Amino acid sequence: QFLYFIDRFRHSSRAPPAKPLPRAPLLLSHQLDTANVSKPCQLLPAMDAKNITVVLNVTCVVGLVVATVLAGVLMKDSHDTVQLALQTGRLASELRQSSDDLTRFIRTYTVTGNASYWDYFQQVIRIRNGELPLPDEPWRNYWDLYISDGVPPRAFGPPHALRARMLEASFTGPELELLEEAQRQSDALIDMEDVASNAMEGRYRPSNTTGLTEAEARAFSVRAPPNQTFAMQLVHGIAYHQWKGRIMRPLDDFAAMSARRVEAAIDRTYRNNVVLIGVLAAMLIMLIAVLAIYYGKIAADVQTQHLLSAVLPERVVESISIGQFNDLRN
């Protein structure tokens, strides 16, 4: 078929100079004889290659759009996971730290009689209840630095109760219940610490509460000499340690439960990242396929151009494009 095509062009080159090169009739005459000329076997026809190239290009574009959207979603999911882990650890640490600060201050007060520690004790409670401004980054150490330096180590923000911040956090119902239980136990322990502090001042609750209202029974209305030994026994005895355990148990359960949830969120983010990597890898493979098809087409066109230049006159080669030649071959 290729020799036939060349013979037709050579025949046309001997035509009278006044006549232009007959392109269309050449095609028609060639088509008349195609029934008796066997076409060469082609691994990938030109039209099929073109269609495959278009499909791969469209697929790459769609895949890149999907990968971009997926990457944005995964970035937000990763950010939320990190924030969840930070928020979980910070609130639990703040509640535990505040409980330990209260214990340390009441014990120091009962041993030394220094009223400054009782004042610190009350400030911790009021900050936790949202009655005083909240120090910046309250999960960090504050009171050790304040007592050591005599000045606040950080600035203060607006009052914000610990319980309110727990409700605002993205905790599950069971996790929130554990935190609230820990705070309830801590608040109940404060009552024992309040008894110890009043004993240091010589104030006690009535021993006989018959006929008294709850408020009257809990009021420190009895006056007697201060009893520092009694106060020290209250905050250092076995009952006090047992109550501290009631605070730490739900905190420990909360830490374990929240850690499992954070680990599950991290695993989910990891799986999504694997999917994203798979999509990007598929896009890379298709891009390589497109480049290979383009490279093969360019190489074939260059080879055809060299072949035409070798067997046809220069003016004939210049008058026909590679695309027209490929159309005639097909």
Side-chain angles (χ1 to χ4, degrees):
Q1 182 182 1
F2 178 69
L3 293 176
Y4 173 78
F5 170 78
I6 295 175
D7 181 68
R8 293 298 299 169
F9 266 101
R10 285 177 174 174
H11 178 73
S12 65
S13 65
R14 293 193 295 269
K19 289 186 177 182
L21 183 65
R23 295 182 182 177
L26 176 64
L27 178 61
L28 293 176
S29 62
H30 171 66
Q31 290 176 342
L32 292 175
D33 296 336
T34 54
N36 298 323
V37 179
S38 59
K39 292 186 178 181
C41 178
Q42 293 182 347
L43 181 62
L44 186 64
M47 184 59 67
D48 292 342
K50 183 183 297 183
N51 291 338
I52 292 175
T53 303
V54 172
V55 170
L56 288 176
N57 284 334
V58 173
T59 304
C60 285
V61 172
V62 173
L64 289 175
V65 172
V66 172
T68 302
V69 174
L70 184 59
V73 173
L74 291 181
M75 287 179 61
K76 183 180 183 304
D77 190 35
S78 299
H79 177 268
D80 293 343
T81 301
V82 172
Q83 290 300 315
L84 172 63
L86 289 175
Q87 193 175 43
T88 298
R90 287 171 177 176
L91 285 176
S93 176
E94 183 181 348
L95 178 57
R96 182 174 56 252
Q97 182 64 46
S98 64
S99 178
D100 290 342
D101 287 337
L102 291 173
T103 296
R104 179 160 55 99
F105 291 150
I106 188 60
R107 285 178 171 176
T108 305
Y109 173 53
T110 59
V111 171
T112 65
N114 187 340
S116 298
Y117 292 99
W118 177 242
D119 182 61
Y120 300 151
F121 180 93
Q122 293 177 315
Q123 288 186 52
V124 172
I125 296 176
R126 296 179 67 187
I127 290 174
R128 194 166 75 173
N129 292 339
E131 300 172 4
L132 289 178
L134 180 69
D136 293 340
E137 300 179 345
W139 60 89
R140 295 173 52 191
N141 191 299
Y142 176 84
W143 289 104
D144 287 334
L145 301 178
Y146 176 75
I147 295 173
S148 174
D149 301 336
V151 294
R154 293 183 297 279
F156 288 88
H160 200 175
L162 178 60
R163 177 178 174 79
R165 283 180 283 135
M166 289 179 181
L167 295 174
E168 294 168 2
S170 301
F171 294 145
T172 62
E175 291 172 351
L176 188 59
E177 289 178 2
L178 289 172
L179 284 178
E180 290 178 343
E181 175 63 20
Q183 184 165 3
R184 282 193 297 268
Q185 296 297 335
S186 179
D187 292 341
L189 185 61
I190 291 175
D191 183 71
M192 183 185 297
E193 294 163 338
D194 199 23
V195 172
S197 66
N198 278 275
M200 294 288 293
E201 301 294 331
R203 294 187 296 266
Y204 305 91
R205 286 172 175 165
S207 56
N208 185 5
T209 58
T210 304
L212 299 179
T213 63
E214 182 179 358
E216 292 173 341
R218 296 178 60 83
F220 296 94
S221 56
V222 178
R223 296 295 184 267
N227 192 338
Q228 185 176 9
T229 302
F230 172 70
M232 292 173 58
Q233 290 174 345
L234 276 179
V235 297
H236 288 86
I238 185 63
Y240 189 90
H241 284 283
Q242 290 175 343
W243 212 288
K244 283 287 291 186
R246 297 180 185 178
I247 299 173
M248 295 305 164
R249 174 58 61 188
L251 278 179
D252 184 69
D253 293 341
F254 166 80
M257 184 180 296
S258 60
R260 288 192 295 268
R261 184 163 67 98
V262 171
E263 289 174 359
I266 293 175
D267 290 341
R268 183 178 63 252
T269 302
Y270 173 77
R271 291 193 298 269
N272 292 338
N273 287 332
V274 171
V275 173
L276 176 60
I277 293 174
V279 173
L280 294 177
M283 295 304 101
L284 179 60
I285 293 173
M286 283 189 283
L287 181 60
I288 293 174
V290 171
L291 293 177
I293 292 175
Y294 281 147
Y295 177 80
K297 184 178 183 302
I298 292 174
D301 290 346
V302 171
Q303 184 179 10
T304 302
Q305 184 69 34
H306 289 325
L307 182 61
L308 291 178
S309 300
V311 299
L312 294 178
E314 183 179 355
R315 67 180 185 84
V316 176
V317 175
E318 294 176 352
S319 65
I320 185 170
S321 65
I322 299 298
Q324 291 174 327
F325 178 73
N326 288 333
D327 292 338
L328 290 174
R329 292 180 62 186
N330 296 327

